[in-house]
Amino acid sequence: MKPPSFCYLRAGSVEEAVEALARSNGEAKILAGGQSLVPMLNLRLAQPDLLVDITRIASLTRLELDSQRQRLLIGAAVTQSEVEKSALVRQAAPLLAEALYYVAHPAIRNRGTLVGNAVHADPASEVPAVLLALGAEFIVVGPGGERTIAAGDFYVSALTTALKQDEIVTRIEIPVVQARSCSCWLEVARTHGNYALVGAGCRLECDAATIRRARIALCCVADTPVRALAAEAELAGRSITDGRAVERAAEVAALNLRPPGDIHASAIYRSELATTLTRRALNTALSRLNHDPVME
Amino acid sequence: MSAHSAAHATIQLKVNGRSYRRSIPVRKLLADVLREDIGLTGTHLGCEHGVCGACTVLIDGRTARSCLVLAVQAEGSEILTVEGLAAPTAPLHPVQEAFCEKHGLQCGFCTPGMLLNAVALLQEKPDPTEEEVREGIAGNICRCTGYQQIIAAVLYAASLRNGGAASRQSEEVTREETHHA
Amino acid sequence: MLETGQKAARVIGKPRRTLESARMVRGAGHFIADLQLPGMLHVALVRSPYAHARIVSTDVSGAWEVPGVVAVLTGEEAAARSGPVFSLAEIPDPPIPVHQYPLAYRKVRLVGEGVVAVAAESRYAAEDACERIVVEYEPLPVVATPEAALAPGASLVHEELGSNVIMHRHLKWGDCDGLFARADHVVRRRIYWSRHSGAALDTFGCVAHYDSGSGDLTFYCNLQSYSLMRTLAHTLHLPEHHIRTVAQDVGGAFGGKFWQPRNMVVCALLSMETGRPVKFIEDRIDNLIAGDNHGENRSYDAELALTRDGRMLALRFKVVEDQGAYFLLGAGSNASPMSQIGGAYDIKAVEADITFVATNKTGQAAYRGYGAAAASFMIERMADAAASELGISRGEIRRRNFIKPEQFPYTTPVGNVYDSGNYPEALRRALDLLGYEDWRRRQREARAQGRYIGLGIATIPERSVPSLTELWLLFERPRLTATAAPETITVRIDQDGKMRVGLHTPGLGTAVETVAAMVMAEEFGIDPADISVTRLDSTLAGPSMGMAGSRMTAMLSGAANLAAQEIKEKMRRVAAHVLEANLSDVRYNAATGRLEVFGVPGKGLSFKQVAAHVNTRSLDLPEGLTSGLEATVSYDHPHASLPDAESGSWGSFNPAVGFAVHLPVVEVDAETGQVSFLDYAVLHDCGTIVNPPGVEGQVLGGICQGVGSALYEEFVYDDQGQSLSSTFMDYLLPSSMEMPKVRLVHMETPSPFTYRGIKGAGEGGRMAAPAAIVSAIEDALQPFKVQVNEIPVTPEKIRRWIREASNHA
C-alpha cells in the first residue's frame, strides 16, 4: 500500500500555496499534518498530481487570542496536540480541548492539524461538530482574496465543503464566550481512539439559575455535523436544574435524524445513542457549572 | 530543497543525531526511507494506514507514525528511531532494559514503536500511574502480550529513570505453590 | 524414561530474561521485510474485485510502461509452469478436487484473490504497474454464506467438486442414541462463531532466490514450520533436496504462518524467470482479505443430554463450517477440537455431523486453537444453558460433571487422552482468587441501582502437543497416513566449553530459543551466557513438525533432554577414561556442572575440561569414541497411538492437556450496549512451567485475542462477497484500553508423559476467554432474559437484544 506518484511543493507563503492550487486545476491537494491525506494516498483512494505543503508558512503556525475581538485564532498549521494542550484553548474553548482527547491517538494528534481535520469533513469526526457547536468561522484565502465562511455554511456533505478548489483555510476563529458557561463532549466508539459511532457536544451559557443559550452538535448522525436546533430550543430559558427539559432536549435531538448504518452501528442504534449521549453530555455539562472546566 | 515542485528530491534527514543526504521520490514514506535508504530496519510496518503504531518514531521529541509521514516532510526535524536509544555495543537505554527485565515483549515486532512511545510518555509523565500507562500505550497495538507485561515494563522503566525510587508499580501476577497431582 | 516435574529444578521454573529480547529491544530482529539482497525485486499483486468471476482476458501491456518493472506473471502462465499448491484436500483417497493455484487460474473465487503478479525494482513501482493492468472479468453468482452455497442450484465455487460441500462426515462414539433416549433433559442451542484471524503485525512475506548455478531454490520467509516446504518441489517441478528454507524472526503467527504456499510459488517462478531474488510482503489488505489465514467460522446446532440433576450424558452436534474458497489446512479445524470436544466434562458419548462448505471468501487456515476456541465456546455455552434450564448454578453444574482427579489419565469417547489435571481444585482456587461472594454481593447492589454487572465462567481443558493422526479418521479413507510429529535438536560443545544449540524449526515469536537454553542450563549446570542458540535452515534440519498446537516447549525440551543425556553419557565415558575410574562410578552432577567420581570427593573434571579433552585429544579417548561433543536427536511424540478404524477410536493424538478457569466480571451499559471489565481472574495450569513470565505472556496474549474475538474482531462480508473489513479501521484489534487487567494464578499438574511434566500453554487464553466473557454478559443481562449464543457481542447487538426483550415484556 504505497502512495501513487505525485509532485511536492513546500510553499513559503499563503500566496504561493494559492497560486499552486490555482495552476493545478483541481489536481493539487494541501498537505498539512497528512494524517487524513496520507492514509488515503497509501490506499490509493486519492491520486493528486501535486501536494502543497503549508506547514512551514510561519503565519499559519499561530495559536493566539485576539483579545480585542474576543476570538481564539488557530492557524492552519497548528497541530491538534498543540490545541489540546493549550491553556488558552482550555480556558477559552474547553469543549474543543475535551473533544480532541477522543481524536485517534497522541501520535496522530502530534502531526495532524486542527484545520486539516476540520477541512477533511469526515462526518465521523469530532472536530467539525465541535466547531459547529462553538460557532466557529473559517478564514479562507483564494486567488480573489480573503473571505469568511461560518461553520454552519462550511459543511456541504461527506468529505465535501464550501471551499473552492483553489482556496485554502488559513485559520479558524472561535468566538470566546463571555458569560458563565459549561460544556461537555461525549462519544461512543468501538475501541479507544477509534472513530466515534456517535458523538455529542454541548456548550451552555448560563446565568445564576437559567440556561440562556444552548448549543448542541452531533457527529456521525448524517453526512455532515448536525446542530441539534430543536434540542437547543428546548433548553433556552429553562432552569439549570430542570432534568425533564434535558430529557426532552435529548429526545428531540434524535428526531428527524436519518443516521447512516454500517457494520459497526445500525441507524436505529445511532439514533438511540444520539439521545443517550445528548442527555449525558447535557447533564455532565450542567454538573460542571460551578466548577472550573474539568480537564485531564 | 528546491522551491519548485518535483517528483524527486534530494533531502537531508537527521536521524539519531546523524545527518543523511538521500535522493528519493517525494512520495516515499519516512518509514521506507529509514528502512531502505538509511538501513535502519528497526522501525516496522504493520498496517500502513496509521492504526497499529508499529512504525512509531519520535519527530522533534514527539511520537509520529512514520507510515503517515512523507520523508520530505521530515526534513529539518530530529528523528529518533529505536536504534537511537542505544549505540550497537552500548548498554541498553533504561526503557529497553525494563522491557527485557519485565518480559514486555514476545515477538518483538511492535516493540520498537512501543519503546519510543514509552520514551515520549515518560518524558511527559516521569512517574505515571498504571492507568496513565495503559492509556498512554493505547495507540500501539500488540497481538502477542495482552499489554499487561508491557505496562509493568513501562512502570519499571519509570522507576529506573527515577533512580530506583519506589514507583507505584502494582503487582500484576501472583504465583501459586507448585501443585503435585 | 523422562523425568517428571517432581524433581526439583535449579533453572526450570524460575523467571528468566529471554535470549530473544536482547535483539528485539534494539530493533535488531531479522524480520522478512527487513531482508535486502542485491538485485532484489519486489512483487505486488493485481487483486480480483469480484468474489466469483471468470477471467475473460488479461492485458498486462500497461505494466511495462512503468519504469522499473522487470517481470509480469499471469495466472495462466503460473499454471503452465507450476501445479496447484499442497493442501489437506490431498489427504483422503480419493483426494478432494479443490485445487489452489498460486494465482487465480481461469476464475477467481474470492475478493482479493491474486490474479497477476508484477516484479519491479520497488514495491511502489510494482503497485503502479498493477494499476495499469486491465483484467476483464465475467462475474458469476456469488455464494457468500453456507446457506447460499448449500441452496439447490447454487453457483459452484469449484466446478469439479460438483457441489459446494467440500466434505461431510458423520461420526459417532459411544451410545449416543441410547443416552439421548434415556435423558431427563435435553438442552438445544444454535451457537455461532464468527470469522477472525491472528492478524499478526508482521504479515506473511518471503524472498525466493533461484540460483541457476546450483539449481537451488532458497526461500527466506516467516513461516512457522518447515514441514510442508518439501511439497513445493512437486508444485515447482524441482527435486526436494534443491529447495532450501531459511527461517526468519517471526513477528507473531498464531497459526496463520504454518503454510503459505501461493505467494512463495509466485516469487519462485519470478525468480526462476529473472535470476534475481524476488520479495513479496503482504500489505495489510493482502493479509486481511486474501491471506489464507482466517480462523474457524461456523455454526453449531448442539444438543446436550442430561439427567435431571445436571449430569451430562451425551453430546450431539451438527457443525457447518464456512470454509471459504479453498481448503489449505481446512480439515484440521474440526479435527483438532475433537481432542477435547466434551470439554472438562465426563461425557460418555459424542455424535458429530461435520460439513465443510465452500464459499466465495478468504480461505481458512489455523488460528490459535485451530477450531478448539469455537468448540470450547460451544460446550461452555451448553453448560451454561443446561445450568439455566435445570436451575443449577453454573459453577455447580461444572463441578458435577468435571472429570475427577482419580480418572486421569482419562480417555475420551473419541479416543484422545487427557494426561492429568485437578479440575475441582482449580475451580475452587479460581473462585477464591476472584472473591466470588464479594462480587455477587456487589452485583446485587448494582442491580438495585439499575446497573448491570455480570460474572462469567469458563472451565476449559487446553490440549497441546498434537500428532498428525487426528486427520486420519476425519476422512473415510485417509491416504496420507503419516504418524511422525517429532522435534529435532542439535547441540555442539566446543573445546572452550561453549555450547551451540541448533533448532531445526522456525519460531513464531515465543521464546523458544530461551527454552532450549534453559533446558541445557538445567541439565548441564552451565551458565546460559555460555550457550548460543540459532536456527538451522531446512537443508540441515531434521524431522520437525514446527510451531503448531502449543507443542514446542514440551517437544523441544524433550529433544533437548535426550540430546543432553546423550552428550552427558559421552562425557562420562571420557571422564572415566581420563580419571581412570569405573564408568559406573562416574556421575554428571548438574548442580556443580562437573563429572564426579562417586565415593571420591574432589576427584572430578569440569564441563569445560571434558569438552576440551574430547575435542582436541583424539589419541587419548576411550575405545570406540571419536572427537567432538555433539548430538542431534529427534524426539518423537511421547504418547500418541494409532487410530482404529474398526472401533472408530482416534487414538491418543493431543494428550498433554492443561486447564484454564476464566472468571471475568463485566458491566454492561444498558443504554449504549458497551461492555467494560471490572475484574478478570484466571487460574491456569500448563503442567510444569519453564519460564513463568513466558507462560503469563501466553495466557494474557491469548486472553487479549479472545477479547478481540468476543467483542471486537470480525471479518464481515456482504452478500456479494465483498469484504467490509479489509483494513484495521474496520477489523478492530483490542488495544490496551480494551484489555482487562487480569489477576492470574498458576497451578501445576505435571504431565506424566513429557519432560518434567511440561504441557503447552499457547492457546488456552483464546480458547477460554470468549466463552467466559459471553457467560458474563449473559449473566449481566439476566434481568432482560437475554440469551447469548454468538460472537462478537457488539454494543449494537446488546442494545437490540435489550430492546427486543423490553418489547416482549
Side-chain angles (χ1 to χ4, degrees):
Chain A
M1 284 156 53
K2 306 295 184 189
S5 222
F6 48 76
C7 291
Y8 170 87
L9 170 67
R10 200 178 280 158
S13 66
V14 172
E15 292 68 39
E16 193 184 345
V18 169
E19 206 191 344
L21 285 180
R23 265 202 317 268
S24 75
N25 202 28
E27 295 303 324
K29 281 205 174 298
I30 296 293
L31 176 66
Q35 303 300 282
S36 302
L37 180 58
V38 179
M40 290 178 66
L41 293 171
N42 288 349
L43 290 165
R44 298 201 176 206
L45 295 174
Q47 308 236 10
D49 288 345
L50 172 68
L51 296 192
V52 181
D53 186 339
I54 59 165
T55 58
R56 316 289 173 122
I57 301 171
S59 62
L60 302 182
T61 64
R62 291 204 281 268
L63 166 61
E64 59 199 357
L65 176 68
D66 179 340
S67 38
Q68 199 181 45
R69 295 156 64 223
Q70 278 300 297
R71 286 177 160 234
L72 190 56
L73 309 182
I74 304 174
V78 176
T79 67
Q80 291 175 101
S81 273
E82 287 176 75
V83 176
E84 183 193 359
K85 293 175 184 168
S86 154
L88 180 57
V89 173
R90 288 167 175 223
Q91 235 283 310
L95 181 64
L96 180 57
E98 185 174 17
L100 284 172
Y101 164 80
Y102 292 95
V103 173
H105 297 284
I108 300 282
R109 304 198 291 273
N110 286 340
R111 302 289 300 175
T113 61
L114 185 80
V115 172
N117 185 330
V119 170
H120 186 60
D122 188 333
S125 170
E126 296 83 351
V127 169
V130 170
L131 295 176
L132 201 58
L134 295 179
E137 288 184 329
F138 293 81
I139 309 307
V140 173
V141 174
E146 189 178 278
R147 64 186 181 114
T148 301
I149 308 177
D153 300 322
F154 190 74
Y155 293 99
V156 172
S157 68
L159 306 177
T160 311
T161 69
L163 277 185
K164 301 209 205 39
Q165 70 186 24
D166 53 7
E167 290 181 314
I168 87 169
V169 174
T170 55
R171 68 178 180 277
I172 284 172
E173 297 191 351
I174 301 176
V176 179
V177 146
Q178 303 308 318
R180 175 181 182 230
S181 68
C182 57
S183 62
C184 177
W185 178 270
L186 284 178
E187 66 180 64
V188 168
R190 290 289 303 278
T191 57
H192 183 84
N194 204 346
Y195 286 106
L197 300 181
V198 171
C202 66
R203 185 180 68 194
L204 308 173
E205 294 170 46
C206 308
D207 62 27
T210 55
I211 300 171
R212 302 305 306 280
R213 184 151 71 153
R215 292 184 67 105
I216 303 170
L218 298 145
C219 67
C220 310
V221 294
D223 63 354
T224 64
V226 167
R227 271 277 295 286
L229 292 167
E232 293 176 359
E234 274 294 332
L235 292 168
R238 298 282 174 211
S239 157
I240 56 178
T241 57
D242 187 348
R244 291 186 57 232
V246 168
E247 294 281 347
R248 279 198 307 272
E251 276 184 43
V252 305
L255 274 183
N256 301 322
L257 281 182
R258 274 204 298 275
D262 58 33
I263 64 170
H264 298 298
S266 67
I268 295 177
Y269 177 68
R270 284 201 162 97
S271 285
E272 285 188 338
L273 276 188
T275 295
T276 301
L277 290 177
T278 299
R279 178 183 0 97
R280 291 184 182 183
L282 288 169
N283 284 329
T284 305
L286 288 167
S287 75
R288 291 171 176 171
L289 197 54
N290 293 319
H291 318 279
D292 285 326
V294 176
M295 287 294 133
E296 303 289 66
Chain B
M1 195 194 146
S2 160
H4 301 295
S5 70
H8 281 74
T10 301
I11 61 171
Q12 296 264 100
L13 284 180
K14 191 121 179 270
V15 184
N16 302 332
R18 185 173 285 169
S19 210
Y20 298 86
R21 192 179 156 83
R22 293 290 185 271
S23 296
I24 52 160
V26 296
R27 63 168 165 165
K28 198 158 185 182
L29 300 168
L30 177 61
D32 287 328
V33 171
L34 291 170
R35 290 172 52 74
E36 292 177 6
D37 299 90
I38 299 177
L40 296 170
T41 57
T43 302
H44 300 141
L45 286 167
C47 74
E48 293 179 313
H49 47 280
V51 175
C52 77
C55 67
T56 303
V57 297
L58 297 190
I59 298 181
D60 296 326
R62 289 181 290 273
T63 53
R65 303 213 195 280
S66 61
C67 74
L68 296 188
V69 177
L70 303 176
V72 293
Q73 291 179 279
E75 195 173 28
S77 291
E78 303 263 354
I79 300 165
L80 182 69
T81 72
V82 64
E83 292 91 343
L85 292 178
T89 55
L92 295 176
H93 183 286
V95 175
Q96 293 170 313
E97 175 68 29
F99 270 62
C100 289
E101 190 60 30
K102 292 298 178 184
H103 210 77
L105 67 146
Q106 291 178 29
C107 79
F109 199 82
C110 77
T111 304
M114 198 67 82
L115 289 170
L116 289 164
N117 190 12
V119 166
L121 174 68
L122 293 175
Q123 199 75 327
E124 199 179 329
K125 292 188 171 123
D127 193 17
T129 63
E130 191 190 319
E131 290 70 37
E132 285 171 335
V133 174
R134 184 174 282 276
E135 192 181 297
I137 66 167
N140 288 69
I141 297 292
C142 174
R143 283 301 262 175
C144 293
T145 67
Y147 305 105
Q148 204 150 301
Q149 289 161 315
I150 293 177
I151 293 166
V154 177
L155 290 169
Y156 183 61
S159 76
L160 291 179
R161 282 172 96 253
N162 297 339
S167 67
R168 272 169 283 158
Q169 185 181 347
S170 56
E171 196 48 46
E172 317 284 356
V173 170
T174 59
R175 177 134 194 269
E176 279 268 287
E177 302 278 333
T178 300
H179 171 85
H180 294 285
Chain C
M1 179 61 195
L2 297 174
E3 294 128 310
T4 67
Q6 257 68 25
K7 187 166 164 183
R10 285 167 297 102
V11 176
I12 304 281
K14 296 188 173 39
R16 175 169 294 279
R17 282 164 79 129
T18 65
L19 273 58
E20 290 85 346
S21 57
R23 65 181 181 275
M24 296 306 178
V25 293
R26 288 185 186 269
H30 298 293
F31 297 98
I32 185 60
D34 303 338
L35 184 64
Q36 305 277 7
L37 294 177
M40 193 172 75
L41 299 173
H42 301 256
V43 169
L45 299 177
V46 176
R47 297 197 166 282
S48 167
Y50 295 102
H52 199 199
R54 215 171 306 282
I55 300 171
V56 174
S57 69
T58 308
D59 177 5
V60 305
S61 55
W64 295 104
E65 292 161 13
V66 174
V69 169
V70 174
V72 178
L73 181 70
T74 66
E76 287 278 338
E77 290 163 351
R81 293 161 54 192
S82 77
V85 299
F86 174 81
S87 80
L88 293 190
E90 296 187 32
I91 295 232
D93 174 24
I96 301 170
V98 171
H99 305 295
Q100 189 167 10
Y101 283 87
L103 292 169
Y105 177 49
R106 299 211 171 128
K107 73 173 208 173
V108 293
R109 296 181 170 86
L110 64 133
V111 168
E113 186 165 13
V115 177
V116 182
V118 174
E121 306 267 327
S122 73
R123 173 82 188 213
Y124 289 72
E127 290 189 16
D128 293 344
C130 286
E131 285 194 317
R132 287 164 171 76
I133 290 174
V134 181
V135 182
E136 200 190 324
Y137 299 94
E138 179 202 317
L140 298 168
V142 171
V143 289
T145 62
E147 292 68 39
L150 294 173
S155 176
L156 295 182
V157 179
H158 293 271
E159 280 85 359
E160 211 186 322
L161 193 56
S163 80
N164 286 321
V165 175
I166 300 175
M167 63 181 278
H168 170 254
R169 285 285 274 152
H170 191 107
L171 302 160
K172 288 165 97 144
W173 298 273
D175 179 24
C176 228
D177 293 336
L179 288 168
F180 266 89
R182 292 199 291 283
D184 295 326
H185 190 85
V186 175
V187 176
R188 292 184 177 82
R189 288 286 188 275
R190 167 167 280 207
I191 289 159
Y192 179 73
W193 182 270
S194 52
R195 194 175 251 258
H196 334 105
S197 95
L201 292 192
D202 177 32
T203 60
F204 174 73
C206 67
V207 176
H209 191 186
Y210 180 71
D211 180 332
S212 58
S214 60
D216 284 342
L217 175 60
T218 300
F219 290 96
Y220 306 84
C221 61
N222 54 6
L223 282 187
Q224 63 190 80
S225 169
Y226 291 141
S227 57
L228 293 176
M229 286 302 292
R230 42 170 291 282
T231 67
L232 291 181
H234 182 73
T235 305
L236 288 165
H237 316 305
L238 289 174
E240 282 85 349
H241 60 295
H242 281 281
I243 294 186
R244 175 176 161 239
T245 313
V246 181
Q248 306 295 296
D249 282 327
V250 179
F254 316 112
K257 295 187 171 99
F258 191 83
W259 186 223
Q260 285 284 338
R262 284 183 298 104
N263 294 310
M264 289 200 284
V265 172
V266 166
C267 290
L269 291 174
L270 287 166
S271 185
M272 288 158 90
E273 181 186 326
T274 62
R276 294 165 72 164
V278 176
K279 178 194 243 186
F280 174 72
I281 308 290
E282 283 179 333
D283 67 26
R284 185 50 61 185
I285 296 181
D286 291 329
N287 173 268
L288 291 180
I289 68 171
D292 290 326
N293 58 25
H294 284 191
E296 70 267 39
N297 176 202
R298 59 183 61 154
S299 62
Y300 284 102
D301 283 294
E303 298 181 310
L304 186 61
L306 303 112
T307 65
R308 69 174 52 83
D309 63 339
R311 282 282 297 112
M312 297 175 190
L313 303 172
L315 171 71
R316 217 160 42 191
F317 62 87
K318 183 170 139 76
V319 60
V320 176
E321 191 73 43
D322 184 346
Q323 185 61 32
Y326 294 105
F327 204 55
L328 204 63
L329 292 181
S333 74
N334 274 300
S336 181
M338 297 312 296
S339 59
Q340 55 169 93
I341 197 69
Y345 315 118
D346 188 10
I347 294 174
K348 297 297 188 209
V350 177
E351 183 173 344
D353 186 292
I354 302 170
T355 309
F356 291 90
V357 182
T359 55
N360 292 118
K361 285 173 169 159
T362 314
Q364 285 189 24
Y367 174 29
R368 204 168 196 168
Y370 205 7
S376 299
F377 183 71
M378 180 267 291
I379 190 67
E380 290 300 285
R381 297 318 300 133
M382 297 302 281
D384 276 7
S388 168
E389 290 182 19
L390 292 174
I392 302 169
S393 84
R394 290 171 295 161
E396 184 56 27
I397 202 163
R398 285 164 168 85
R399 269 187 288 269
R400 289 183 193 178
N401 287 286
F402 276 155
I403 298 162
K404 299 184 194 40
E406 57 268 24
Q407 288 178 281
F408 289 98
Y410 172 84
T411 303
T412 68
V414 173
N416 189 41
V417 169
Y418 293 8
D419 53 1
S420 67
N422 190 337
Y423 300 168
E425 178 62 15
L427 177 59
R428 189 196 67 73
R429 291 193 198 182
L431 289 167
D432 201 49
L433 173 67
L434 175 70
Y436 175 77
E437 294 301 335
D438 191 56
W439 270 116
R440 277 289 179 221
R441 178 184 54 76
R442 287 163 77 170
Q443 180 185 44
R444 282 192 297 274
E445 289 166 3
R447 285 220 183 121
Q449 294 169 2
R451 288 170 52 219
Y452 301 94
I453 291 180
L455 278 58
I457 179 171
T459 53
I460 311 266
E462 179 182 348
R463 91 281 176 274
S464 66
V465 194
S467 69
L468 290 176
T469 49
E470 67 222 60
L471 293 171
W472 288 28
L473 297 188
L474 184 68
F475 300 93
E476 207 163 352
R477 275 192 306 277
R479 185 172 64 93
L480 299 178
T481 51
T483 58
E487 200 50 50
T488 304
I489 197 171
T490 296
V491 182
R492 178 182 305 130
I493 301 158
D494 65 19
Q495 63 183 338
D496 300 302
K498 298 290 192 276
M499 180 184 285
R500 286 166 184 72
V501 175
L503 305 182
H504 292 237
T505 173
L508 55 56
T510 53
V512 171
E513 296 163 27
T514 307
V515 167
M518 287 177 77
V519 173
M520 291 306 166
E522 180 73 53
E523 293 301 319
F524 286 100
I526 56 174
D527 184 351
D530 288 338
I531 306 173
S532 76
V533 183
T534 52
R535 294 179 194 285
L536 304 181
D537 71 43
S538 67
T539 330
L540 295 174
S544 159
M545 194 189 197
M547 307 292 294
S550 306
R551 65 185 289 277
M552 192 52 69
T553 305
M555 292 302 292
L556 188 64
S557 62
N561 177 54
L562 288 182
Q565 303 319 317
E566 193 177 305
I567 289 176
K568 286 197 278 192
E569 186 53 29
K570 185 168 184 178
M571 292 179 102
R572 277 200 329 122
R573 294 181 60 190
V574 169
H577 173 83
V578 168
L579 297 169
E580 294 174 339
N582 285 326
L583 180 60
S584 57
D585 290 335
V586 177
R587 313 275 165 86
Y588 191 102
N589 186 345
T592 58
R594 292 176 63 80
L595 283 302
E596 292 167 350
V597 181
F598 179 71
V600 188
K603 187 165 184 182
L605 291 171
S606 73
F607 175 90
K608 229 181 223 182
Q609 286 171 319
V610 176
H613 190 98
V614 71
N615 274 298
T616 60
R617 291 173 172 259
S618 63
L619 293 180
D620 190 19
L621 290 176
E623 187 78 35
L625 288 194
T626 54
S627 292
L629 194 57
E630 170 173 344
T632 292
V633 171
S634 296
Y635 171 64
D636 282 309
H637 194 292
H639 195 80
S641 60
L642 286 173
D644 175 31
E646 209 177 288
S647 69
S649 168
W650 284 24
S652 167
F653 61 93
N654 234 323
V657 180
F659 196 60
V661 182
H662 286 222
L663 304 173
V665 181
V666 302
E667 178 159 2
V668 177
D669 182 333
E671 283 189 314
T672 66
Q674 288 172 295
V675 175
S676 54
F677 287 98
L678 302 182
D679 199 359
Y680 200 119
V682 175
L683 180 135
H684 190 255
D685 182 347
C686 59
T688 301
I689 294 174
V690 176
N691 191 359
V695 168
E696 283 144 22
Q698 287 301 295
V699 175
L700 295 167
I703 289 173
C704 194
Q705 289 187 318
V707 169
S709 297
L711 301 177
Y712 301 107
E713 298 175 41
E714 185 180 14
F715 286 109
V716 181
Y717 295 79
D718 69 13
D719 62 8
Q720 291 306 300
Q722 291 294 326
S723 170
L724 303 176
S725 357
S726 59
T727 68
F728 283 158
M729 323 287 199
D730 293 308
Y731 186 80
L732 303 176
L733 302 181
S735 76
S736 56
M737 296 294 275
E738 284 71 53
M739 175 67 185
K741 183 168 165 187
V742 174
R743 299 186 294 122
L744 172 62
V745 292
H746 296 287
M747 206 167 105
E748 288 176 300
T749 51
S751 172
F753 305 136
T754 62
Y755 172 70
R756 293 183 182 272
I758 292 166
K759 302 179 186 178
E763 293 160 285
R766 184 179 179 249
M767 285 164 60
I773 292 168
V774 168
S775 176
I777 292 171
E778 195 175 87
D779 189 56
L781 297 179
Q782 212 277 321
F784 300 98
K785 307 256 183 292
V786 168
Q787 255 185 35
V788 186
N789 293 310
E790 66 184 85
I791 52 159
V793 180
T794 63
E796 158 85 53
K797 286 183 191 176
I798 287 179
R799 271 304 309 157
R800 177 161 40 93
W801 295 330
I802 290 175
R803 215 187 301 126
E804 286 167 1
S806 306
N807 289 342
H808 291 137

